[in-house]
Coordinates of all heavy atoms in Angstrom, one line a residue:
M1 N 15.7 12.2 37.7 CA 15.1 11.0 37.7 C 14.0 10.8 36.7 O 13.4 11.8 36.3 CB 14.4 10.8 39.1 CG 15.4 10.5 40.2 SD 14.4 10.0 41.6 CE 15.5 10.5 42.9
L2 N 14.0 9.6 36.0 CA 13.0 9.3 34.9 C 12.3 8.2 35.4 O 12.7 7.1 35.8 CB 13.8 9.0 33.7 CG 14.8 10.1 33.2 CD1 15.7 9.5 32.2 CD2 14.1 11.3 32.7
T3 N 10.9 8.4 35.3 CA 9.9 7.3 35.7 C 9.3 6.7 34.5 O 8.7 7.5 33.6 CB 8.9 7.9 36.6 OG1 9.5 8.6 37.7 CG2 7.9 6.8 37.1
G4 N 9.5 5.4 34.4 CA 8.8 4.7 33.2 C 7.4 4.6 33.4 O 6.8 4.7 34.4
S5 N 6.8 4.1 32.3 CA 5.4 3.8 32.3 C 5.1 2.5 33.2 O 6.0 1.6 33.3 CB 4.8 3.4 31.0 OG 5.1 4.4 30.0
A6 N 4.0 2.4 33.8 CA 3.6 1.2 34.6 C 3.2 0.3 33.6 O 2.2 0.4 32.8 CB 2.4 1.6 35.6
I7 N 3.7 -0.9 33.5 CA 3.5 -2.0 32.6 C 2.7 -3.1 33.3 O 3.1 -3.6 34.3 CB 4.9 -2.5 32.0 CG1 5.6 -1.5 31.4 CG2 4.4 -3.7 31.0 CD1 5.1 -0.7 30.2
Q8 N 1.5 -3.4 32.9 CA 0.6 -4.4 33.4 C 1.2 -5.7 32.9 O 1.2 -6.1 31.8 CB -0.8 -4.2 33.0 CG -1.7 -5.0 33.8 CD -1.8 -4.9 35.3 OE1 -1.7 -3.7 35.8 NE2 -1.8 -5.8 36.1
T9 N 1.5 -6.6 34.0 CA 1.8 -8.0 33.7 C 0.7 -9.0 34.1 O -0.3 -8.5 34.7 CB 3.1 -8.5 34.3 OG1 2.9 -8.5 35.7 CG2 4.3 -7.4 34.1
D10 N 0.8 -10.2 33.9 CA -0.2 -11.2 34.3 C -0.3 -11.2 35.9 O -1.3 -11.7 36.3 CB 0.1 -12.6 33.8 CG -0.1 -12.7 32.3 OD1 -0.5 -11.8 31.7 OD2 0.1 -13.8 31.8
Y11 N 0.8 -10.7 36.6 CA 0.7 -10.8 38.0 C 0.7 -9.5 38.6 O 0.8 -9.4 39.8 CB 1.9 -11.6 38.4 CG 1.8 -13.1 37.9 CD1 2.6 -13.5 36.8 CD2 1.1 -14.0 38.6 CE1 2.5 -14.7 36.3 CE2 1.0 -15.3 38.0 CZ 1.6 -15.7 36.9 OH 1.6 -16.9 36.4
G12 N 0.6 -8.4 37.9 CA 0.5 -7.1 38.5 C 1.5 -6.1 37.8 O 2.2 -6.5 36.9
P13 N 1.3 -4.8 38.1 CA 2.1 -3.8 37.4 C 3.6 -3.7 37.8 O 3.9 -4.1 38.9 CB 1.3 -2.5 37.7 CG 0.7 -2.8 39.1 CD 0.4 -4.2 39.1
V14 N 4.3 -3.4 36.9 CA 5.7 -3.0 37.1 C 6.1 -1.7 36.6 O 5.8 -1.3 35.5 CB 6.7 -4.1 36.4 CG1 8.1 -3.8 36.7 CG2 6.4 -5.4 36.8
Q15 N 6.7 -0.8 37.5 CA 7.0 0.5 37.1 C 8.4 0.8 37.6 O 8.7 0.6 38.8 CB 6.1 1.5 37.6 CG 6.3 3.0 37.1 CD 5.3 3.9 37.5 OE1 4.6 3.8 38.6 NE2 5.1 4.9 36.8
V16 N 9.2 1.3 36.8 CA 10.7 1.5 37.1 C 11.0 3.1 37.0 O 10.5 3.7 36.2 CB 11.6 0.7 36.1 CG1 13.1 1.0 36.5 CG2 11.3 -0.7 36.2
R17 N 11.9 3.5 38.0 CA 12.4 4.8 38.0 C 13.9 4.7 38.0 O 14.5 4.0 38.7 CB 12.0 5.6 39.2 CG 12.6 7.0 39.3 CD 11.9 7.9 40.3 NE 12.2 7.5 41.6 CZ 11.4 7.8 42.6 NH1 10.3 8.6 42.5 NH2 11.6 7.3 43.8
V18 N 14.6 5.5 37.1 CA 16.0 5.5 37.1 C 16.6 6.9 37.2 O 16.0 7.8 37.0 CB 16.5 4.9 35.8 CG1 16.2 3.5 35.5 CG2 16.0 5.7 34.5
T19 N 17.8 6.9 37.7 CA 18.6 8.0 37.8 C 19.7 8.0 36.7 O 20.4 7.0 36.8 CB 19.1 8.3 39.2 OG1 18.2 8.3 40.2 CG2 19.9 9.6 39.3
V20 N 19.8 9.0 35.9 CA 20.7 9.0 34.8 C 21.7 10.2 35.1 O 21.1 11.4 35.2 CB 20.1 9.1 33.4 CG1 21.1 9.2 32.4 CG2 19.2 7.9 33.2
T21 N 23.0 10.0 35.2 CA 23.9 11.0 35.4 C 24.9 10.9 34.4 O 25.6 9.8 34.1 CB 24.6 10.8 36.9 OG1 23.5 10.7 37.8 CG2 25.5 12.0 37.1
D22 N 25.2 12.0 33.7 CA 26.2 12.0 32.5 C 26.0 10.9 31.5 O 26.8 10.3 31.1 CB 27.6 11.9 33.1 CG 28.0 13.2 33.9 OD1 27.4 14.3 33.7 OD2 28.8 13.0 34.9
G23 N 24.6 10.7 31.3 CA 24.3 9.7 30.2 C 24.4 8.2 30.7 O 24.2 7.3 30.0
K24 N 24.6 8.0 32.0 CA 24.8 6.7 32.5 C 23.7 6.5 33.6 O 23.4 7.3 34.3 CB 26.2 6.5 33.1 CG 27.3 6.5 32.1 CD 28.6 6.2 32.7 CE 28.6 4.6 33.1 NZ 30.0 4.3 33.5
I25 N 23.2 5.2 33.6 CA 22.2 4.8 34.7 C 23.0 4.6 36.0 O 23.9 3.8 36.0 CB 21.5 3.5 34.3 CG1 20.7 3.8 33.1 CG2 20.6 3.2 35.6 CD1 20.0 2.4 32.6
T26 N 22.7 5.5 37.0 CA 23.4 5.4 38.2 C 22.6 4.7 39.4 O 23.1 4.2 40.3 CB 23.9 6.7 38.7 OG1 22.8 7.7 38.8 CG2 24.9 7.3 37.8
N27 N 21.3 4.7 39.1 CA 20.4 4.0 40.1 C 19.1 3.6 39.3 O 18.7 4.3 38.4 CB 20.1 4.9 41.2 CG 19.3 4.2 42.4 OD1 19.8 3.2 42.8 ND2 18.2 4.7 42.7
A28 N 18.6 2.5 39.7 CA 17.3 1.9 39.2 C 16.5 1.3 40.4 O 17.0 0.7 41.3 CB 17.5 0.8 38.1
E29 N 15.2 1.6 40.4 CA 14.4 1.1 41.5 C 13.0 0.8 40.9 O 12.6 1.6 40.0 CB 14.3 2.0 42.6 CG 13.7 3.3 42.4 CD 13.7 4.3 43.5 OE1 13.4 3.9 44.6 OE2 14.0 5.5 43.3
A30 N 12.3 -0.1 41.5 CA 10.9 -0.4 41.0 C 10.0 0.3 42.0 O 10.1 0.2 43.2 CB 10.7 -1.9 41.0
L31 N 9.1 1.1 41.4 CA 8.1 1.9 42.2 C 6.9 1.0 42.4 O 6.2 1.0 43.4 CB 7.7 3.2 41.5 CG 8.8 4.1 41.2 CD1 8.3 5.3 40.4 CD2 9.4 4.5 42.4
Q32 N 6.6 0.1 41.5 CA 5.6 -0.9 41.5 C 6.1 -2.2 41.1 O 6.9 -2.3 40.2 CB 4.4 -0.5 40.6 CG 3.7 0.7 40.9 CD 2.4 0.9 40.0 OE1 1.6 0.1 40.0 NE2 2.5 2.0 39.3
Q33 N 5.6 -3.3 41.7 CA 5.9 -4.7 41.4 C 4.9 -5.5 41.7 O 4.1 -5.3 42.7 CB 7.4 -5.0 42.1 CG 7.2 -5.0 43.6 CD 8.6 -5.0 44.2 OE1 9.5 -4.4 43.7 NE2 8.6 -5.7 45.3
P34 N 4.8 -6.7 41.2 CA 3.7 -7.7 41.4 C 3.8 -8.1 42.9 O 4.9 -8.3 43.4 CB 4.0 -8.8 40.6 CG 4.7 -8.3 39.3 CD 5.6 -7.2 39.9
S35 N 2.7 -8.2 43.5 CA 2.7 -8.6 44.9 C 1.5 -9.4 45.3 O 0.6 -9.5 44.4 CB 2.7 -7.3 45.8 OG 1.6 -6.6 45.7
G36 N 1.6 -10.1 46.3 CA 0.4 -11.0 46.8 C 0.9 -12.5 46.6 O 1.3 -12.8 45.4
G37 N 0.8 -13.3 47.6 CA 1.1 -14.6 47.4 C 2.5 -14.8 47.0 O 3.4 -14.1 47.5
R38 N 2.7 -15.7 46.0 CA 4.0 -16.0 45.5 C 4.7 -14.9 44.7 O 5.9 -14.8 44.8 CB 3.9 -17.3 44.6 CG 5.2 -17.8 44.1 CD 5.4 -19.3 44.2 NE 6.5 -19.8 43.5 CZ 7.8 -19.6 43.6 NH1 8.1 -18.9 44.8 NH2 8.8 -20.0 43.0
S39 N 3.9 -14.0 44.1 CA 4.4 -12.9 43.5 C 5.3 -12.0 44.4 O 6.3 -11.4 43.9 CB 3.3 -12.0 43.0 OG 2.6 -12.8 41.9
T40 N 4.9 -11.9 45.7 CA 5.7 -11.0 46.6 C 7.1 -11.7 46.8 O 8.1 -10.9 46.7 CB 5.0 -10.9 48.0 OG1 3.7 -10.3 47.7 CG2 5.8 -10.2 48.9
Q41 N 7.3 -13.0 46.9 CA 8.4 -13.7 47.0 C 9.3 -13.5 45.7 O 10.4 -13.3 45.8 CB 8.2 -15.1 47.4 CG 9.5 -15.9 47.6 CD 9.2 -17.4 47.8 OE1 8.0 -17.8 47.9 NE2 10.2 -18.2 48.0
I42 N 8.6 -13.8 44.6 CA 9.4 -13.6 43.3 C 9.9 -12.3 43.1 O 11.1 -12.1 42.7 CB 8.4 -14.2 42.2 CG1 8.2 -15.7 42.3 CG2 9.1 -14.0 40.8 CD1 7.1 -16.2 41.3
S43 N 9.1 -11.3 43.3 CA 9.5 -9.9 43.1 C 10.6 -9.5 44.1 O 11.5 -8.8 43.7 CB 8.3 -9.0 43.3 OG 7.3 -9.1 42.2
G44 N 10.5 -10.0 45.3 CA 11.5 -9.7 46.4 C 12.9 -10.2 46.0 O 13.9 -9.6 46.4
T45 N 13.0 -11.3 45.2 CA 14.2 -11.8 44.7 C 14.6 -11.2 43.4 O 15.8 -10.8 43.1 CB 14.2 -13.3 44.5 OG1 13.7 -14.0 45.7 CG2 15.4 -14.0 44.0
A46 N 13.7 -11.0 42.4 CA 14.0 -10.6 41.1 C 14.2 -9.0 41.0 O 15.1 -8.8 40.3 CB 12.8 -10.9 40.2
I47 N 13.5 -8.3 41.6 CA 13.7 -6.9 41.4 C 15.1 -6.4 41.8 O 15.7 -5.6 41.0 CB 12.5 -6.0 42.3 CG1 11.2 -6.3 41.6 CG2 12.8 -4.6 42.3 CD1 10.9 -5.9 40.2
P48 N 15.6 -6.7 43.0 CA 17.0 -6.3 43.3 C 18.0 -6.7 42.2 O 18.9 -5.9 41.8 CB 17.3 -6.9 44.6 CG 16.0 -7.1 45.2 CD 15.1 -7.5 44.1
E49 N 17.9 -7.9 41.6 CA 18.8 -8.4 40.6 C 18.5 -7.5 39.3 O 19.4 -7.1 38.6 CB 18.5 -9.8 40.4 CG 19.5 -10.4 39.4 CD 19.4 -12.0 39.3 OE1 18.8 -12.6 40.2 OE2 19.8 -12.4 38.2
L50 N 17.3 -7.2 39.0 CA 17.0 -6.4 37.8 C 17.5 -5.0 37.9 O 18.1 -4.4 36.9 CB 15.5 -6.4 37.5 CG 14.9 -7.8 37.1 CD1 13.3 -7.7 37.1 CD2 15.3 -8.1 35.6
N51 N 17.3 -4.4 39.1 CA 17.9 -3.1 39.4 C 19.3 -3.1 39.2 O 20.0 -2.2 38.5 CB 17.6 -2.7 40.8 CG 16.2 -2.3 41.1 OD1 15.4 -2.1 40.2 ND2 15.8 -2.4 42.3
Q52 N 20.1 -4.1 39.7 CA 21.6 -4.2 39.5 C 21.9 -4.3 38.1 O 22.9 -3.8 37.5 CB 22.0 -5.3 40.4 CG 23.5 -5.4 40.4 CD 24.1 -6.6 41.3 OE1 23.3 -7.2 42.0 NE2 25.4 -6.8 41.3
N53 N 21.1 -5.2 37.3 CA 21.4 -5.5 36.0 C 21.3 -4.3 35.1 O 22.0 -4.0 34.2 CB 20.5 -6.6 35.4 CG 20.8 -8.0 36.0 OD1 21.8 -8.2 36.6 ND2 19.9 -8.9 35.7
A54 N 20.2 -3.4 35.4 CA 20.1 -2.1 34.6 C 21.2 -1.2 34.9 O 21.7 -0.6 33.8 CB 18.7 -1.5 35.2
V55 N 21.8 -1.1 36.1 CA 22.8 -0.2 36.3 C 24.1 -0.7 35.6 O 24.8 0.0 34.9 CB 23.1 0.0 37.8 CG1 24.4 0.8 38.0 CG2 21.9 0.8 38.4
S56 N 24.3 -2.1 35.7 CA 25.5 -2.7 35.1 C 25.4 -2.6 33.5 O 26.4 -2.2 32.9 CB 25.7 -4.1 35.4 OG 25.8 -4.3 36.8
A57 N 24.2 -2.8 32.9 CA 24.1 -2.7 31.5 C 24.1 -1.4 31.0 O 24.5 -1.1 29.9 CB 22.8 -3.5 31.1
G58 N 23.6 -0.5 31.7 CA 23.4 0.9 31.3 C 22.3 1.1 30.2 O 22.3 2.1 29.6
S59 N 21.4 0.0 30.2 CA 20.4 0.1 29.1 C 19.3 -0.9 29.5 O 19.4 -1.5 30.6 CB 21.0 -0.3 27.8 OG 21.2 -1.7 27.7
A60 N 18.3 -1.0 28.7 CA 17.2 -1.8 29.0 C 17.5 -3.3 28.4 O 16.6 -4.1 28.5 CB 15.9 -1.3 28.4
D61 N 18.7 -3.4 27.8 CA 19.0 -4.7 27.3 C 19.6 -5.6 28.3 O 20.9 -5.7 28.5 CB 20.1 -4.5 26.1 CG 20.4 -5.8 25.4 OD1 19.6 -6.7 25.5 OD2 21.5 -5.9 24.8
I62 N 18.7 -6.1 29.2 CA 19.2 -6.9 30.4 C 18.5 -8.3 30.3 O 17.5 -8.4 29.7 CB 18.8 -6.2 31.7 CG1 17.4 -5.9 31.9 CG2 19.6 -4.9 31.9 CD1 16.9 -5.4 33.2
D63 N 19.1 -9.2 30.9 CA 18.6 -10.6 30.9 C 17.4 -10.7 31.9 O 17.4 -10.0 32.9 CB 19.7 -11.6 31.4 CG 20.9 -11.6 30.4 OD1 20.6 -11.5 29.1 OD2 22.0 -12.0 30.8
A64 N 16.5 -11.6 31.5 CA 15.4 -11.9 32.4 C 16.0 -12.6 33.6 O 16.9 -13.4 33.6 CB 14.3 -12.6 31.7
V65 N 15.3 -12.5 34.7 CA 15.6 -13.3 35.9 C 14.8 -14.6 35.9 O 13.7 -14.6 35.7 CB 15.3 -12.5 37.2 CG1 15.5 -13.4 38.4 CG2 16.1 -11.3 37.3
S66 N 15.6 -15.7 36.0 CA 15.0 -17.0 36.0 C 13.8 -17.1 37.0 O 14.0 -16.7 38.1 CB 16.0 -18.1 36.3 OG 15.4 -19.4 36.2
G67 N 12.7 -17.6 36.5 CA 11.5 -17.8 37.4 C 10.6 -16.5 37.6 O 9.7 -16.5 38.3
A68 N 11.1 -15.4 37.0 CA 10.3 -14.2 37.0 C 10.1 -13.5 35.6 O 10.4 -12.5 35.4 CB 11.1 -13.2 37.9
T69 N 9.7 -14.4 34.7 CA 9.7 -13.9 33.3 C 8.7 -12.8 33.0 O 9.2 -11.8 32.3 CB 9.2 -15.1 32.5 OG1 10.0 -16.3 32.7 CG2 9.2 -14.8 31.0
Y70 N 7.5 -12.9 33.7 CA 6.6 -11.7 33.4 C 7.1 -10.4 34.1 O 7.0 -9.4 33.6 CB 5.2 -12.1 34.0 CG 4.6 -13.1 33.2 CD1 4.5 -14.5 33.8 CD2 4.0 -12.8 32.0 CE1 3.9 -15.5 33.0 CE2 3.4 -14.0 31.2 CZ 3.3 -15.3 31.8 OH 2.8 -16.2 31.1
T71 N 7.6 -10.5 35.3 CA 8.1 -9.4 36.0 C 9.3 -8.8 35.3 O 9.5 -7.6 35.1 CB 8.6 -9.8 37.5 OG1 7.5 -10.2 38.2 CG2 9.2 -8.5 38.2
S72 N 10.2 -9.6 34.8 CA 11.4 -9.3 34.0 C 11.0 -8.5 32.8 O 11.5 -7.4 32.5 CB 12.3 -10.5 33.6 OG 12.8 -11.0 34.8
G73 N 10.0 -9.0 32.0 CA 9.5 -8.4 30.9 C 8.9 -7.0 31.0 O 9.2 -6.0 30.4
G74 N 8.1 -6.9 32.2 CA 7.5 -5.7 32.5 C 8.5 -4.7 33.0 O 8.4 -3.4 32.6
Y75 N 9.5 -5.2 33.7 CA 10.6 -4.3 34.1 C 11.4 -3.7 32.9 O 11.7 -2.5 32.8 CB 11.5 -5.1 35.0 CG 12.6 -4.2 35.7 CD1 12.5 -3.9 37.0 CD2 13.8 -3.9 35.0 CE1 13.5 -3.1 37.7 CE2 14.8 -3.1 35.6 CZ 14.6 -2.8 37.0 OH 15.5 -2.0 37.6
K76 N 11.7 -4.6 32.0 CA 12.5 -4.1 30.8 C 11.6 -3.1 30.0 O 12.2 -2.0 29.6 CB 12.8 -5.3 30.0 CG 13.9 -6.1 30.5 CD 14.1 -7.5 29.8 CE 14.8 -7.2 28.5 NZ 15.2 -8.5 27.8
Q77 N 10.3 -3.3 29.9 CA 9.6 -2.4 29.1 C 9.5 -1.0 29.8 O 9.6 0.1 29.2 CB 8.1 -2.9 28.9 CG 8.0 -4.1 27.9 CD 6.6 -4.5 27.8 OE1 5.7 -3.8 27.5 NE2 6.4 -5.8 28.0
S78 N 9.3 -1.0 31.1 CA 9.2 0.2 31.9 C 10.5 1.0 31.9 O 10.5 2.1 31.8 CB 8.7 -0.1 33.4 OG 8.5 1.1 34.1
L79 N 11.5 0.2 32.0 CA 13.0 0.8 32.0 C 13.2 1.4 30.6 O 13.6 2.6 30.6 CB 14.0 -0.4 32.2 CG 15.4 0.0 32.2 CD1 15.8 1.1 33.1 CD2 16.4 -1.1 32.3
Q80 N 12.8 0.8 29.6 CA 12.9 1.4 28.2 C 12.3 2.7 28.1 O 12.7 3.7 27.6 CB 12.5 0.4 27.1 CG 12.9 0.9 25.7 CD 14.4 1.2 25.6 OE1 15.2 0.3 25.6 NE2 14.7 2.5 25.3
S81 N 11.0 2.7 28.7 CA 10.1 3.9 28.5 C 10.7 5.0 29.4 O 10.6 6.2 28.9 CB 8.6 3.7 29.0 OG 8.5 3.4 30.3
A82 N 11.4 4.8 30.4 CA 12.1 5.8 31.2 C 13.3 6.3 30.5 O 13.5 7.5 30.4 CB 12.4 5.3 32.6
L83 N 14.0 5.4 29.9 CA 15.2 5.8 29.1 C 14.9 6.6 27.8 O 15.6 7.5 27.4 CB 16.2 4.6 28.8 CG 16.7 3.9 30.0 CD1 17.4 2.5 29.6 CD2 17.6 4.8 30.7
D84 N 13.7 6.3 27.3 CA 13.3 7.0 26.1 C 13.1 8.5 26.4 O 13.2 9.3 25.5 CB 12.0 6.3 25.6 CG 12.2 5.1 24.8 OD1 13.3 4.7 24.6 OD2 11.2 4.3 24.6
Q85 N 12.7 8.8 27.7 CA 12.5 10.2 28.0 C 13.8 10.9 28.1 O 13.8 12.2 27.8 CB 11.8 10.3 29.5 CG 10.5 9.7 29.5 CD 10.0 9.6 30.9 OE1 10.3 10.6 31.7 NE2 9.3 8.5 31.3
A86 N 14.9 10.2 28.3 CA 16.2 10.9 28.3 C 16.7 11.3 26.9 O 17.6 12.2 26.7 CB 17.2 10.0 29.0
G87 N 16.1 10.7 25.9 CA 16.5 11.0 24.5 C 17.5 10.3 24.0 O 18.4 9.5 24.1

């Protein structure tokens, strides 16, 4: 498991942990995500989609989730920092 840096967004931190098996992302999860008020609702919808996109893409080159621009950007940065550890 590789844990990315916690990326501070305008709505709170995003931190991603990935499992890489044989050079492929087999699991992605957010350890931290924006919460409180509307952020909880947005993260609740966006994070599962971002997790799925990361596994499907196999990289940090994933599309932002509509309506969750800041969360998506933080997610991608944290995901890339985790993948950078894999070499």
